[in-house]
Amino acid sequence: MNQVLNLPLIRLLVIKDWQLFQKQLAAYVLAGIVALALLGLARPWAFYLGSLLLIIVLVAGSCFSISNSLLVERKEQTLAFVMSLPLSPLDFTLAKLAGNLLTFGVPFGLLLLGTLVVVLTTPLPDGLVVYSLLIYGHILLAYSVSLMVAMQVESEGWNTFAMIASNLLVNPLIMLLGQIDAISIPARADAIVWSLPAVLILSAQVLLSLAALGFTAWWHGRKPAFY
Amino acid sequence: MTAAFAVSGLCKRYPHFALQDVSLTLAEGEVMGLVGVNGAGKTTLLRLLTGLAAPDAGSIDVLGHRLPQAQVAAKRGIGFASEDMRLYRSQSLDWHIALVRQIYPEWDDNYAASLMRRFDLRAQQPIGGYSHGQRVKALLLLCLARRPRLLLLDEPTTGLDPVARAEVLEALADVLRDERRSVLFSSHNTHDVEQLADHIAFLHGGRLLAHRDKESFLDDWRRVLCLGSLPPTLANWPEVAQVRSAGSQIEVKLRAWRDDLPERLAAQGLTVQRVDPMALEDIFVTAVRAGGAA
């Protein structure tokens, strides 16, 4: 197996994915900005509405990225066109992973940055930074797991299940964080406190996300052909 | 002569289908029509030839590259279009051209423009607004304008109206004038194969039944009409693919025509009324009904 990567083509395919979805991604970012504006009002009703809208936007954005880049391409048979180009299964996998990380990562990164700015510059308690990062960490993990499943499994049903189940787990996570005093009490204070449970949870989220993405790249990189 | 591709002892197994022991060679500049019913293995063979699928056994060399290991190098010289391949509906043909042009240095802008005019395609219109025929033609344009050394087409004319089909076949005929380019196209439309191919490969049930140049292949088959009573052993002659009788009228379809056959039929008490060549479609149907021996 020729393992020399076709980097120019990988770059082209990543740009292609960005071009295909940039308008919709801009709409997600816009909706996220509305949610952040609500959060910034620092009133209970606005905080509740804003945080709910923000989570909806983040979940919808991550599902959109996976659905359109992988599931819709498979369903609409445009994958066959891409696979006919001079690239290996490893090139294809890396292009898909990079394209997905870009289309997910840019809105995710912008909204994460926006959230930190809103928390730190409005009357909201700065302790929410840790709490917010843990929520974002979960969205990242749910996205990585969903992406791994989408790359492995062709079944639309299993992919829908993976996306819904992994993202809905944010609810029990929020409840769990509320039960851990080392996280919930500092979240109401005006100081950023990185307690051990917070560090452990965030580390686990990031490491598991990297493991899911790494496994996907390794698994597909071993394949000599697409079928 | 250089081979555009050569496969030997090729096997690929799926749960409900297997391509078995296929050995086939296409010389540079030749045009091969791959004929077979749905499910015969045409798409599987083409996927193997593009490196998209890995064989379970056997070897595949395409444009001097061993597949699937060197699929990237091979695919640089291959233009592949299949009936189930689609372009991005939200994007225009111009957008697709801009993408493909960056990948293939041999991309020919003038040829692309001439194909665009011939196919009457609107470059700025999103592909989603194209008819099926226009989508097929757009895909072919993207394949042809990159000037591939080997063109692999899986059912290129399926679902096209007669006008679009004629346009596509004319464009393919132009490609075939270039003696350095080789073409393998699969079809269950035998008229297309008869019109374009100079070699015929006949797949049935995952096996390659025949691989010959078109003229000698067609020359082997004859339809003979006789009068008389049906000899009971006639159907067992190795040259006979099919025998049908209606009253005293007997129709014999022969897969291995020889000049002495009318005499041998006469020796069986039959009066030979006429001997006709057979069209590829008739041969195809007869061979499939006869259990696949072509």
Side-chain angles (χ1 to χ4, degrees), chain A residues 130-207:
Chain A
V130 175
Y131 199 86
S132 304
L133 285 173
L134 293 173
I135 302 294
Y136 272 91
H138 178 81
I139 299 292
L140 174 68
L141 177 58
Y143 167 79
S144 302
V145 170
S146 301
L147 181 58
M148 178 182 73
V149 173
M151 296 278 285
Q152 302 289 126
V153 183
E154 287 197 15
S155 156
E156 211 171 319
W158 278 113
N159 277 295
T160 306
F161 174 77
M163 282 191 277
I164 291 176
S166 61
N167 281 295
L168 277 182
L169 286 174
V170 76
N171 273 325
L173 175 77
I174 290 170
M175 283 195 283
L176 176 73
L177 296 180
Q179 300 297 313
I180 301 173
D181 289 346
I183 295 173
S184 62
I185 293 171
R188 292 190 281 271
D190 215 8
I192 301 169
V193 178
W194 281 104
S195 61
L196 184 63
V199 171
L200 286 176
I201 292 172
L202 189 61
S203 303
Q205 288 169 334
V206 172
L207 288 176

Side-chain angles (χ1 to χ4, degrees), chain B residues 111 115 118-119 140 144 157 162-177 195-196:
Chain B
Y111 187 35
L115 284 172
R118 167 187 276 190
F119 289 158
L140 274 178
L144 297 177
T157 55
V163 175
R165 193 167 140 255
E167 286 173 350
V168 166
L169 291 177
E170 279 168 21
L172 288 178
D174 283 352
V175 174
L176 309 185
R177 290 197 191 104
Q195 190 175 332
L196 289 176

